[in-house]
Amino acid sequence: MRKLAAGNWKMNGSLAALAEVNDLIAAHPAPACEMLLCPPATLISAMAAIVRGSALLVGAQDCHTHSAGAHTGDISALMLAEAGATHVIVGHSERRTDHGETDAQVAAKAQAAQAAGLVAIVCLGETEAQRDAGTTLAVIGAQLDASVPEASTAANLVIAYEPVWAIGTGRTPTVAQIAEVHGFLRQRLAGRIGAEAAGVRLLYGGSVKPSNAAEIFAIADVDGALVGGASLKAADFGPIVAALSAA
Ligand code: PGA
Protein backbone atom coordinates (compact mmCIF):
# COMPACT_ATOMS: atom_id res chain seq x y z
CA MET A 1 0.00 0.00 0.00
CA ARG A 2 1.23 3.53 -0.79
CA LYS A 3 1.36 5.55 2.43
CA LEU A 4 -0.12 9.05 2.62
CA ALA A 5 1.19 12.27 4.13
CA ALA A 6 -1.78 14.63 4.19
CA GLY A 7 -1.74 18.26 5.29
CA ASN A 8 -4.78 20.18 6.48
CA TRP A 9 -4.28 23.93 6.29
CA LYS A 10 -7.62 24.55 8.06
CA MET A 11 -8.64 28.24 7.84
CA ASN A 12 -5.08 29.35 7.12
CA GLY A 13 -3.20 30.32 4.01
CA SER A 14 -3.36 32.89 1.27
CA LEU A 15 -2.18 33.29 -2.30
CA ALA A 16 1.17 34.37 -0.87
CA ALA A 17 1.39 31.14 1.15
CA LEU A 18 1.36 29.13 -2.08
CA ALA A 19 5.10 29.79 -2.25
CA GLU A 20 5.34 27.01 0.35
CA VAL A 21 3.87 24.63 -2.23
CA ASN A 22 6.61 25.39 -4.72
CA ASP A 23 9.21 24.82 -2.01
CA LEU A 24 7.65 21.48 -1.04
CA ILE A 25 7.54 20.22 -4.63
CA ALA A 26 11.12 21.31 -5.22
CA ALA A 27 12.35 19.55 -2.07
CA HIS A 28 10.33 16.35 -2.69
CA PRO A 29 9.93 15.83 -6.42
CA ALA A 30 9.34 12.07 -6.15
CA PRO A 31 8.55 10.91 -2.59
CA ALA A 32 7.95 7.21 -1.91
CA CYS A 33 4.63 8.12 -0.27
CA GLU A 34 1.64 10.08 -1.54
CA MET A 35 1.76 13.76 -0.58
CA LEU A 36 -1.42 15.82 -0.24
CA LEU A 37 -2.29 19.34 0.89
CA CYS A 38 -5.84 20.44 1.71
CA PRO A 39 -6.00 24.25 1.61
CA PRO A 40 -9.10 26.40 2.16
CA ALA A 41 -11.54 26.01 -0.75
CA THR A 42 -10.61 29.45 -2.10
CA LEU A 43 -7.07 28.23 -2.81
CA ILE A 44 -7.81 24.85 -4.39
CA SER A 45 -7.81 26.01 -8.02
CA ALA A 46 -4.65 28.06 -7.61
CA MET A 47 -2.86 25.25 -5.79
CA ALA A 48 -4.03 22.71 -8.38
CA ALA A 49 -2.50 24.85 -11.13
CA ILE A 50 0.83 24.91 -9.29
CA VAL A 51 1.00 21.17 -8.59
CA ARG A 52 0.04 20.01 -12.09
CA GLY A 53 2.65 17.49 -13.23
CA SER A 54 4.17 17.17 -9.76
CA ALA A 55 3.82 14.49 -7.06
CA LEU A 56 1.76 16.77 -4.83
CA LEU A 57 -2.01 16.23 -4.70
CA VAL A 58 -4.63 18.77 -3.66
CA GLY A 59 -7.65 18.11 -1.47
CA ALA A 60 -10.49 19.91 0.29
CA GLN A 61 -11.51 20.10 3.94
CA ASP A 62 -15.25 19.48 3.65
CA CYS A 63 -18.02 18.96 1.09
CA HIS A 64 -21.80 19.02 1.00
CA THR A 65 -23.89 15.87 0.89
CA HIS A 66 -25.60 16.93 -2.38
CA SER A 67 -24.07 17.58 -5.77
CA ALA A 68 -25.94 20.88 -6.36
CA GLY A 69 -28.90 22.86 -5.10
CA ALA A 70 -30.15 25.58 -2.81
CA HIS A 71 -27.47 25.37 -0.10
CA THR A 72 -26.05 28.85 0.35
CA GLY A 73 -22.40 28.89 1.23
CA ASP A 74 -21.82 25.19 0.68
CA ILE A 75 -19.60 23.49 -1.89
CA SER A 76 -20.27 20.10 -3.48
CA ALA A 77 -17.79 17.30 -4.05
CA LEU A 78 -18.32 17.63 -7.81
CA MET A 79 -17.31 21.30 -7.60
CA LEU A 80 -14.20 20.39 -5.63
CA ALA A 81 -13.27 17.77 -8.21
CA GLU A 82 -13.69 20.31 -11.00
CA ALA A 83 -11.47 22.75 -9.09
CA GLY A 84 -8.70 20.12 -9.05
CA ALA A 85 -9.19 18.30 -5.75
CA THR A 86 -8.64 14.54 -5.62
CA HIS A 87 -9.38 14.08 -1.90
CA VAL A 88 -11.68 15.63 0.68
CA ILE A 89 -11.53 15.47 4.47
CA VAL A 90 -14.91 14.76 6.05
CA GLY A 91 -15.94 14.66 9.69
CA HIS A 92 -12.95 16.51 11.10
CA SER A 93 -13.54 17.04 14.82
CA GLU A 94 -13.54 20.80 14.31
CA ARG A 95 -16.48 20.43 11.93
CA ARG A 96 -18.21 17.97 14.22
CA THR A 97 -17.85 20.55 17.02
CA ASP A 98 -18.21 23.89 15.17
CA HIS A 99 -21.02 22.74 12.87
CA GLY A 100 -22.61 19.92 14.84
CA GLU A 101 -21.91 17.37 12.12
CA THR A 102 -23.23 13.92 12.98
CA ASP A 103 -21.87 10.53 11.96
CA ALA A 104 -24.79 10.17 9.54
CA GLN A 105 -23.94 13.47 7.86
CA VAL A 106 -20.28 12.50 7.69
CA ALA A 107 -21.23 9.21 6.02
CA ALA A 108 -23.41 11.08 3.50
CA LYS A 109 -20.56 13.49 2.76
CA ALA A 110 -18.12 10.62 2.31
CA GLN A 111 -20.55 8.92 -0.05
CA ALA A 112 -21.01 12.14 -2.04
CA ALA A 113 -17.23 12.52 -2.26
CA GLN A 114 -16.75 8.96 -3.48
CA ALA A 115 -19.56 9.36 -6.02
CA ALA A 116 -17.76 12.43 -7.38
CA GLY A 117 -14.58 10.41 -7.80
CA LEU A 118 -12.82 11.83 -4.75
CA VAL A 119 -11.06 9.93 -1.99
CA ALA A 120 -12.91 10.54 1.30
CA ILE A 121 -10.67 11.02 4.34
CA VAL A 122 -13.03 10.19 7.21
CA CYS A 123 -11.88 11.54 10.59
CA LEU A 124 -12.73 10.07 13.95
CA GLY A 125 -11.35 10.24 17.47
CA GLU A 126 -12.19 10.37 21.14
CA THR A 127 -12.29 13.39 23.45
CA GLU A 128 -10.11 13.52 26.52
CA ALA A 129 -13.12 12.82 28.75
CA GLN A 130 -13.96 9.73 26.71
CA ARG A 131 -10.39 8.44 26.97
CA ASP A 132 -10.33 9.09 30.72
CA ALA A 133 -13.61 7.21 31.04
CA GLY A 134 -12.11 4.20 29.24
CA THR A 135 -14.55 4.38 26.35
CA THR A 136 -12.09 5.19 23.54
CA LEU A 137 -12.56 2.01 21.52
CA ALA A 138 -16.32 2.01 21.98
CA VAL A 139 -16.54 5.63 20.80
CA ILE A 140 -14.27 5.08 17.82
CA GLY A 141 -15.97 1.85 16.84
CA ALA A 142 -19.37 3.52 16.85
CA GLN A 143 -18.03 6.48 14.84
CA LEU A 144 -16.50 4.15 12.27
CA ASP A 145 -19.65 2.07 11.86
CA ALA A 146 -21.80 5.17 11.36
CA SER A 147 -19.40 7.42 9.41
CA VAL A 148 -17.95 5.05 6.80
CA PRO A 149 -20.08 4.25 3.73
CA GLU A 150 -20.55 0.49 3.39
CA ALA A 151 -19.49 0.42 -0.25
CA SER A 152 -16.12 2.07 0.45
CA THR A 153 -12.99 0.59 -1.10
CA ALA A 154 -9.27 0.85 -0.45
CA ALA A 155 -9.13 3.24 -3.39
CA ASN A 156 -11.76 5.72 -2.25
CA LEU A 157 -11.52 5.67 1.55
CA VAL A 158 -8.87 6.82 4.01
CA ILE A 159 -9.46 6.85 7.77
CA ALA A 160 -7.79 9.40 10.03
CA TYR A 161 -7.61 8.65 13.75
CA GLU A 162 -7.36 12.02 15.49
CA PRO A 163 -7.76 12.09 19.26
CA VAL A 164 -9.49 15.43 19.86
CA TRP A 165 -7.21 16.17 22.81
CA ALA A 166 -4.11 15.79 20.63
CA ILE A 167 -5.16 18.24 17.91
CA GLY A 168 -3.21 21.47 18.06
CA THR A 169 -2.13 20.81 21.64
CA GLY A 170 1.39 19.44 21.21
CA ARG A 171 0.27 16.33 23.11
CA THR A 172 0.27 12.91 21.45
CA PRO A 173 -0.90 9.49 22.60
CA THR A 174 1.71 6.91 23.51
CA VAL A 175 2.94 4.49 20.89
CA ALA A 176 0.94 1.76 22.63
CA GLN A 177 -2.24 3.85 22.55
CA ILE A 178 -1.90 4.60 18.83
CA ALA A 179 -1.10 0.95 18.09
CA GLU A 180 -4.15 -0.21 20.05
CA VAL A 181 -6.53 2.11 18.19
CA HIS A 182 -5.10 1.46 14.73
CA GLY A 183 -5.20 -2.33 15.20
CA PHE A 184 -8.77 -2.01 16.40
CA LEU A 185 -9.70 0.21 13.43
CA ARG A 186 -8.32 -2.30 10.90
CA GLN A 187 -10.37 -5.08 12.45
CA ARG A 188 -13.53 -3.06 12.81
CA LEU A 189 -13.25 -1.78 9.25
CA ALA A 190 -13.02 -5.37 7.99
CA GLY A 191 -16.33 -5.99 9.72
CA ARG A 192 -17.84 -3.10 7.79
CA ILE A 193 -16.26 -3.27 4.31
CA GLY A 194 -14.69 -6.74 4.25
CA ALA A 195 -11.41 -7.57 2.51
CA GLU A 196 -10.99 -4.00 1.19
CA ALA A 197 -10.12 -2.96 4.76
CA ALA A 198 -6.62 -4.42 4.45
CA GLY A 199 -5.72 -1.78 1.85
CA VAL A 200 -7.34 1.28 3.43
CA ARG A 201 -4.79 3.82 4.64
CA LEU A 202 -5.17 4.48 8.39
CA LEU A 203 -3.67 7.89 9.20
CA TYR A 204 -2.75 9.18 12.61
CA GLY A 205 -3.43 12.88 13.25
CA GLY A 206 -2.85 15.21 16.18
CA SER A 207 0.34 17.19 16.83
CA VAL A 208 2.43 15.30 14.27
CA LYS A 209 5.68 17.17 13.69
CA PRO A 210 9.13 16.47 12.28
CA SER A 211 10.45 15.44 15.71
CA ASN A 212 7.86 12.71 16.39
CA ALA A 213 6.98 11.58 12.84
CA ALA A 214 9.44 8.68 12.53
CA GLU A 215 8.36 7.16 15.86
CA ILE A 216 4.69 7.37 14.87
CA PHE A 217 5.27 5.98 11.36
CA ALA A 218 7.03 2.92 12.83
CA ILE A 219 3.79 1.82 14.53
CA ALA A 220 1.93 -1.11 12.97
CA ASP A 221 -1.16 -0.12 10.95
CA VAL A 222 -0.13 3.56 10.82
CA ASP A 223 -0.13 4.22 7.08
CA GLY A 224 0.51 7.95 7.17
CA ALA A 225 -0.52 11.14 8.90
CA LEU A 226 -3.03 13.95 8.76
CA VAL A 227 -1.05 17.02 9.75
CA GLY A 228 -2.45 20.40 10.73
CA GLY A 229 -0.10 23.09 11.99
CA ALA A 230 3.06 21.42 10.70
CA SER A 231 1.69 21.27 7.14
CA LEU A 232 1.71 25.05 6.69
CA LYS A 233 5.44 25.34 6.10
CA ALA A 234 7.44 23.26 3.63
CA ALA A 235 10.27 23.24 6.16
CA ASP A 236 8.03 21.32 8.60
CA PHE A 237 5.90 19.22 6.25
CA GLY A 238 8.85 18.20 4.06
CA PRO A 239 10.65 16.29 6.85
CA ILE A 240 7.37 14.54 7.72
CA VAL A 241 7.01 13.44 4.08
CA ALA A 242 10.62 12.24 4.19
CA ALA A 243 10.05 10.31 7.43
CA LEU A 244 7.02 8.57 5.92
CA SER A 245 8.90 7.80 2.71
CA ALA A 246 11.61 6.16 4.80
CA ALA A 247 9.20 4.17 7.02
P1 PGA B 1 -2.45 19.46 14.33
O1 PGA B 1 -3.88 19.20 13.66
O2 PGA B 1 -1.44 18.69 13.52
O3 PGA B 1 -2.26 20.95 14.24
O4 PGA B 1 -2.54 18.94 15.72
C1 PGA B 1 -4.20 17.93 13.16
C2 PGA B 1 -5.55 17.95 12.51
O5 PGA B 1 -6.47 18.59 13.03
O6 PGA B 1 -5.71 17.31 11.44
Side-chain angles (χ1 to χ4, degrees):
M1 135 198 338
R2 195 118 191 273
K3 296 182 178 177
L4 172 63
N8 172 10
W9 278 15
K10 308 192 178 181
M11 199 171 73
N12 298 292
S14 60
L15 287 173
L18 294 178
E20 296 293 333
V21 176
N22 287 309
D23 290 351
L24 186 66
I25 294 169
H28 300 278
C33 63
E34 282 185 354
M35 182 168 67
L36 167 75
L37 283 178
C38 301
T42 49
L43 295 177
I44 290 174
S45 291
M47 192 181 281
I50 293 173
V51 308
R52 199 158 293 133
S54 82
L56 183 60
L57 301 167
V58 178
Q61 300 173 14
D62 177 49
C63 68
H64 196 267
T65 54
H66 291 95
S67 54
H71 303 287
T72 302
D74 280 311
I75 301 174
S76 77
L78 274 176
M79 293 168 176
L80 296 171
E82 186 176 50
T86 52
H87 296 62
V88 59
I89 299 166
V90 293
H92 190 281
S93 68
E94 285 152 15
R95 292 208 60 87
R96 290 177 186 262
T97 303
D98 293 355
H99 301 273
E101 289 187 8
T102 63
D103 288 334
Q105 284 170 321
V106 174
K109 288 179 177 209
Q111 207 161 4
Q114 293 167 342
L118 300 180
V119 178
I121 302 176
V122 176
C123 301
L124 35 84
E126 82 286 4
T127 63
E128 184 155 37
Q130 288 164 335
R131 177 159 286 276
D132 290 346
T135 57
T136 296
L137 297 185
V139 166
I140 288 169
Q143 283 180 335
L144 184 145
D145 292 349
S147 307
V148 170
E150 239 168 331
S152 297
T153 68
N156 68 18
L157 175 72
V158 171
I159 303 271
Y161 166 53
E162 300 204 303
V164 177
W165 52 273
I167 294 174
T169 59
R171 297 166 60 204
T172 52
T174 64
V175 165
Q177 286 171 331
I178 296 175
E180 179 189 33
V181 171
H182 279 242
F184 170 79
L185 283 174
R186 183 78 68 200
Q187 241 184 347
R188 187 81 169 213
L189 194 57
R192 181 139 183 88
I193 67 170
E196 285 291 314
V200 172
R201 273 82 58 87
L202 304 181
L203 311 184
Y204 168 76
S207 297
V208 175
K209 49 195 177 217
S211 59
N212 62 17
E215 185 183 29
I216 291 169
F217 295 151
I219 301 170
D221 283 313
V222 173
D223 310 311
L226 181 54
V227 183
S231 72
L232 293 170
K233 297 281 175 209
D236 293 326
F237 196 53
I240 294 171
V241 170
L244 186 58
S245 293

